[in-house]
């Protein structure tokens, strides 16, 4: 069942999409790409929003969008060309449409500010709506006859089928309709067919109408007015002052100006006369919706999608449980059947996950606008290059990633890219460059924002950190540690926080947002050359391939993508009393889960069951950092559904989620980035567990 | 003065969508779930336009149209036929019965409103 | 639906109800059968006409034509705004001798 609110929700979602489409199209136009397809998209988007808004009685949107649609129609029909000024107005107008869509009509009616913006933009756009008419008038004689052009004067001659009144179709209704799509300057009601009263059939139509009509609607819209009475009707819609009209006038008045019409115009006239004859064919098909051959998309409520994916997750778990039971039976036929079930379950899982994957390109496209606006605000000349837009990642992540990315990009533009003068002095190209790219890397998605600006000034960071008492003067920090300071709350090196990157959140919030997505940010920078921020994220948040380990009596899952290798701890000699193992010459800090989570020691009896009381170490990696996790027991690979943690566990460091195991036990999913960080920070503490 | 439109369709959701569209444009809407039901609504009140589905239980749209043409108080009411089949025998039947205005489903509400406005603005 | 009142040289016809296609035949019959006498004035009192459509306007024009072809006088009075707006829409004011 659909109610008004459902329909409205659809309208909002649809409008949002259309606005983004407009944005992309405008950016393409700005980049010089203004082919018909792009201009059509632009027009259609505005048109659809206006149309739908009308259905919902959102006349503040309709009225405002109408003129945009009008201007875009002119652009599409090449009556005007988009110049820089118009483009700026259109960007603003598009934004304002977005505001209006998110504004209740009552609120709008009471907001002088919004109305003011509407009318300012209207007058700015009106110019372009006007230009077209005057241009058309100027070029009238030699312009090709465009019967679908705007604000045009028409002569409409109507001799409708005589039975139309009996069909409930009153010409008055059509005339009133015409008044809603244009202006009627004059109507002449012709009586020539009206017989004496004795001879007339009172239910038949005898009146003939000649209407002087002005409208910005295309000729097709005027024709459409009469689509239901087209049978047995004569409907002539002729552009006033068009060559054919002049021709007709000449013929009627037998005026000597006939010599003024040259042969070229006569030829056009002949072509045109074919067009003006409205066919009497059934026009009913004109109401069919246009079908295109593009990929069809189905709009699905994201909640339903999440339910499906959750269920498939449960299925994967059930299947694992069945697996473990079947193995005990040693029944070959059963095992074979289960294996086939397993394959299908996996395919199903992949297909379901695929549903959540969206290309990041759409999000990236928004940055063209952001970069453009920010560059304008900053008075810098910056070019944005986008690569890897086709890279897919979890829709939920895309949504949560936008804000951090915006901040990083703005930061790069504001603090990274230098002013044009500075760039020229430094012998760089005057135009700064920002590169936004995405790619897959070992089960992760990496999103990079790089700039060719001045790079991070390490000295300034150090000074600032010291002044803020984050570090003391004697500290010697590696580059990574130094850059990590940027994520420290309240850290900003630019003396004056501009209203751009300083707006709202700081880099610390950006970092936290990324961490919440089980991601991390790495920074590379070279002074004078530029900086690169890399955000590394898992592909999806819903299901992970994990590595199941036990410590004490607890189960843990290590995200598979972070596991490098597993070793027997005994083979490592500890290094200089530090919590560190030597892996082929590389010093790797480690952390003991039992100690870290303060778990009870395994019962002695249980220990006896093991071949020997040994400890395993799982080497994990996140970004460029590695650490070892010491556990009691390795249980092997497992595929599992991530369940959000209940609130009591949320404060537990080192845990990112939970999951149900095939045997019904709860396993905790380890937060590897956090554990690596902990292990590094405790690396130098004296050992307690191992001597 | 707002106009009254009778919407006849056996699908409640289509009736609802059509009603939403019409009400948003300030039309009064009366709903009926099939041809028979529609005839009971033609009880003397002023109806400016009828929008009817073709395929319906009890009484289909074409029969409704023929019936309406025989009611002295409603015989000149404009009728828009909603149809899913663009050009099949139903349409020929409808034409024979005097149906003039056709809208093929699925339509955009704006298309429907446009058609309504053309026919109900007298 | 029609009341004819004779008043010296004048005839006033009171129309009780709308002039639409629903009663076009009745109206037509009445107007065609009405005898128009030369030099008399035929006034249609429209105060009870709330609605008119194209068929009604055609009948008004046809009746007017009949009246003047019989060298009688034709006049409309008490026209409701709804009706007047349709007469204006089709630009029939002068055709129907409406002066105000």
């Amino acid at each position: 069942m659909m109610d008004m609110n459902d329909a409205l929700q659809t309208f909002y979602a649809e409008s949002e999409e259309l606005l983004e489409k407009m944005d992309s199209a405008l950016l393409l136009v700005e980049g010089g790409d203004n082919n018909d397809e792009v201009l059509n998209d632009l027009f259609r988007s505005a048109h659809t929003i206006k149309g739908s808004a009308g259905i919902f009685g959102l006349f503040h949107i309709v009225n405002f969008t109408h003129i945009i649609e009008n201007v875009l129609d002119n652009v599409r029909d090449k009556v005007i060309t988009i110049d820089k000024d118009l483009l700026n107005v259109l960007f603003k107008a598009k934004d304002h449409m977005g505001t209006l869509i998110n504004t209740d009509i009552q609120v709008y009616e009471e907001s002088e500010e919004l109305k003011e913006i509407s009318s300012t933009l209207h007058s700015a756009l009106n110019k372009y709506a006007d230009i077209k008419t005057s241009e058309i008038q100027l070029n009238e004689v030699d312009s090709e006859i465009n019967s679908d052009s705007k604000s045009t004067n028409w002569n409409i001659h109507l001799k409708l089928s005589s039975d139309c009144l009996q069909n409930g179709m009153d010409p008055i209704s059509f005339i009133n309709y015409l008044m809603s799509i244009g202006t009627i300057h004059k109507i002449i009601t012709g009586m020539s067919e009206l017989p004496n009263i004795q001879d007339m059939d009172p239910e038949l139509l005898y009146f003939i109408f000649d209407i002087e009509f002005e409208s910005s609607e295309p000729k097709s819209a005027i024709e459409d007015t009469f689509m239901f009475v087209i049978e047995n009707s004569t409907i002539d819609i002729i552009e006033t002052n068009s060559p054919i009209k002049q021709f007709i006038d000449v013929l009627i008045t037998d005026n000597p100006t006939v010599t003024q019409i040259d042969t070229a115009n006569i030829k056009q006239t002949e072509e045109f006369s074919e067009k003006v004859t409205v066919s009497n064919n059934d026009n009913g098909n004109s109401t069919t919706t246009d079908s295109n051959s593009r990929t069809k998309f189905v709009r699905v409520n994201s909640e339903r999608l999440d339910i499906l994916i959750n269920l498939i997750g449960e299925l994967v778990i059930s299947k694992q449980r069945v697996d473990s039971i079947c193995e005990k039976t040693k029944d070959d036929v059963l095992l074979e059947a289960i294996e086939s079930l397993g394959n299908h379950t996996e395919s199903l899982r992949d297909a379901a996950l695929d549903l959540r994957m969206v290309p990041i390109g759409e999000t990236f496209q928004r940055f063209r606008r952001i970069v453009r606006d920010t560059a304008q605000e900053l008075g810098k000349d910056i070019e944005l290059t986008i690569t890897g837009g086709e890279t897919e990642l979890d829709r939920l992540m895309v949504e949560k990633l936008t804000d951090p990315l915006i901040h990083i990009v703005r930061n790069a533009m504001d603090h990274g890219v230098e002013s044009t003068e500075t760039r020229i002095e430094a012998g760089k190209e005057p135009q700064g460059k920002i590169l936004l790219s995405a790619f897959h890397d070992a089960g992760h998605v990496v999103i990079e924002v790089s700039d060719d600006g001045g790079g991070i000034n390490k000295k300034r960071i150090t000074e600032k950190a010291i002044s803020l008492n984050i570090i003391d003067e004697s500290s010697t920090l590696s580059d990574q540690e130094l850059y990590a300071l940027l994520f420290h709350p309240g850290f900003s090196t630019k003396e004056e926080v501009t209203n751009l990157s300083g707006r709202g959140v700081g880099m610390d919030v950006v970092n936290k947002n990324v961490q919440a997505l089980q991601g991390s940010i790495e920074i590379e920078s070279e002074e004078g050359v530029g900086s690169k921020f890399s955000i590394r994220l898992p592909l999806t948040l819903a299901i992970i391939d994990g590595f199941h380990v036990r410590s004490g009596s607890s189960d843990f899952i290590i995200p598979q993508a972070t596991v490098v290798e597993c070793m027997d701890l005994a083979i490592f000699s500890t290094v200089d009393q530090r919590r560190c193992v030597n892996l082929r010459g590389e010093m790797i800090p480690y952390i003991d889960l039992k100690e870290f989570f303060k778990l009870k020691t395994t019962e002695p009896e249980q220990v006896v069951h093991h071949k020997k009381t040994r400890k395993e170490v799982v080497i994990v990696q996140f970004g460029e950092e590695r650490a070892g996790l010491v556990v009691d027991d390795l249980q092997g690979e497992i595929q599992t559904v991530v369940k959000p943690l209940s609130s009591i566990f949320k404060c537990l460091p080192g845990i990112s989620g939970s999951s149900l195991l095939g045997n019904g036990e709860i396993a905790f999913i380890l937060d590897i980035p956090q554990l690596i960080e902990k292990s590094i920070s405790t690396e130098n503490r004296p050992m307690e567990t191992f001597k | 003065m707002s106009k009254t439109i009778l919407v006849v369709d056996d699908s409640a959701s289509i009736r609802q969508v059509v009603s939403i569209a019409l009400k948003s444009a300030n039309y009064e809407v009366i709903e009926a779930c099939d041809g028979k039901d529609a005839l009971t609504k033609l009880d003397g009140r002023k109806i400016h336009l009828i929008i009817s589905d073709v395929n319906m239980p009890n009484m289909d749209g074409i029969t409704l149209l023929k019936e309406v043409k025989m009611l002295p108080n409603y015989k000149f009411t404009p009728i828009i036929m909603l149809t899913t089949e663009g050009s099949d025998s139903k349409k020929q039947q409808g034409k024979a019965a005097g149906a003039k205005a056709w809208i093929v489903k699925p339509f955009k509400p704006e298309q429907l409103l446009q058609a309504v406005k053309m026919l109900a603005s007298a | 639906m029609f009341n004819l009142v004779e008043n010296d040289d004048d005839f006033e016809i009171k129309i009780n109800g709308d002039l639409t296609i629903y009663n076009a035949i009745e109206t037509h019959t009445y107007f065609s059968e009405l005898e128009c006498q030369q030099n008399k004035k035929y006034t249609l009192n429209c105060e009870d006409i709330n609605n008119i459509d194209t068929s009604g306007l055609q009948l008004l024009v046809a009746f007017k034509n009949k009246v003047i072809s019989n060298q009688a006088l034709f006049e409309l009075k008490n026209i409701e705004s709804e009706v007047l707006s349709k007469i204006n829409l089709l630009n029939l004011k002068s055709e129907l001798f409406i002066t105000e």
Side-chain angles (χ1 to χ4, degrees), chain A residues 377 407 410 497-506:
Chain A
E377 266 179 76
H407 193 84
R410 282 190 163 144
V497 177
T498 67
N499 74 334
L500 279 176
S501 43
R503 188 187 297 166
V505 295

Short mmCIF file of all heavy atoms in Angstrom, two decimals, chain A residues 377 407 410 497-506:
data_model
loop_
_atom_site.label_atom_id
_atom_site.label_comp_id
_atom_site.label_asym_id
_atom_site.label_seq_id
_atom_site.Cartn_x
_atom_site.Cartn_y
_atom_site.Cartn_z
N GLU A 377 36.32 30.01 -3.57
CA GLU A 377 36.34 30.70 -2.28
C GLU A 377 37.75 31.08 -1.87
O GLU A 377 37.98 32.14 -1.30
CB GLU A 377 35.75 29.80 -1.19
CG GLU A 377 34.27 29.99 -0.94
CD GLU A 377 33.78 29.05 0.14
OE1 GLU A 377 34.06 29.33 1.32
OE2 GLU A 377 33.15 28.04 -0.19
N HIS A 407 36.44 16.65 4.19
CA HIS A 407 37.34 17.39 5.06
C HIS A 407 38.79 17.29 4.58
O HIS A 407 39.51 18.28 4.54
CB HIS A 407 37.22 16.88 6.49
CG HIS A 407 37.87 17.79 7.47
ND1 HIS A 407 37.24 18.89 7.99
CD2 HIS A 407 39.13 17.80 7.97
CE1 HIS A 407 38.07 19.53 8.78
NE2 HIS A 407 39.21 18.89 8.80
N ARG A 410 39.23 19.35 1.39
CA ARG A 410 39.27 20.79 1.68
C ARG A 410 40.57 21.17 2.35
O ARG A 410 41.16 22.20 2.06
CB ARG A 410 38.11 21.17 2.60
CG ARG A 410 36.81 21.26 1.86
CD ARG A 410 35.79 21.87 2.75
NE ARG A 410 34.66 22.35 1.99
CZ ARG A 410 33.42 22.29 2.41
NH1 ARG A 410 33.15 21.79 3.59
NH2 ARG A 410 32.44 22.75 1.67
N VAL A 497 42.52 29.74 11.44
CA VAL A 497 41.70 28.68 10.87
C VAL A 497 40.74 29.32 9.87
O VAL A 497 39.95 30.18 10.23
CB VAL A 497 40.91 27.95 11.96
CG1 VAL A 497 40.00 26.89 11.35
CG2 VAL A 497 41.86 27.32 12.95
N THR A 498 40.88 28.97 8.63
CA THR A 498 39.97 29.55 7.66
C THR A 498 38.61 28.91 7.83
O THR A 498 38.48 27.87 8.45
CB THR A 498 40.46 29.30 6.22
OG1 THR A 498 40.37 27.90 5.99
CG2 THR A 498 41.87 29.77 6.03
N ASN A 499 37.62 29.55 7.26
CA ASN A 499 36.28 29.01 7.46
C ASN A 499 36.06 27.79 6.58
O ASN A 499 34.98 27.24 6.52
CB ASN A 499 35.22 30.06 7.20
CG ASN A 499 35.06 30.34 5.73
OD1 ASN A 499 35.99 30.15 4.95
ND2 ASN A 499 33.88 30.78 5.35
N LEU A 500 37.09 27.36 5.89
CA LEU A 500 36.91 26.19 5.03
C LEU A 500 37.18 24.91 5.77
O LEU A 500 36.30 24.23 6.25
CB LEU A 500 37.86 26.28 3.83
CG LEU A 500 37.38 27.17 2.71
CD1 LEU A 500 38.45 27.26 1.66
CD2 LEU A 500 36.09 26.63 2.15
N SER A 501 38.47 24.59 5.87
CA SER A 501 38.80 23.32 6.49
C SER A 501 38.60 23.40 7.99
O SER A 501 38.48 22.39 8.66
CB SER A 501 40.23 22.93 6.16
OG SER A 501 41.07 24.04 6.27
N GLY A 502 38.55 24.61 8.52
CA GLY A 502 38.36 24.75 9.95
C GLY A 502 36.90 24.60 10.34
O GLY A 502 36.57 24.64 11.51
N ARG A 503 36.06 24.45 9.37
CA ARG A 503 34.63 24.41 9.63
C ARG A 503 34.23 23.08 10.27
O ARG A 503 34.54 22.02 9.76
CB ARG A 503 33.90 24.58 8.30
CG ARG A 503 32.43 24.75 8.43
CD ARG A 503 31.82 24.73 7.06
NE ARG A 503 32.29 25.83 6.23
CZ ARG A 503 32.11 25.87 4.91
NH1 ARG A 503 31.54 24.88 4.29
NH2 ARG A 503 32.54 26.89 4.21
N GLY A 504 33.56 23.16 11.39
CA GLY A 504 32.98 21.96 11.99
C GLY A 504 34.00 21.03 12.59
O GLY A 504 34.48 21.27 13.68
N VAL A 505 34.36 20.00 11.84
CA VAL A 505 35.16 18.95 12.44
C VAL A 505 36.65 19.17 12.21
O VAL A 505 37.06 19.92 11.34
CB VAL A 505 34.78 17.58 11.87
CG1 VAL A 505 33.35 17.23 12.24
CG2 VAL A 505 34.97 17.56 10.37
N GLY A 506 37.45 18.52 13.00
CA GLY A 506 38.88 18.55 12.81
C GLY A 506 39.35 17.22 12.28
O GLY A 506 38.56 16.30 12.09
#
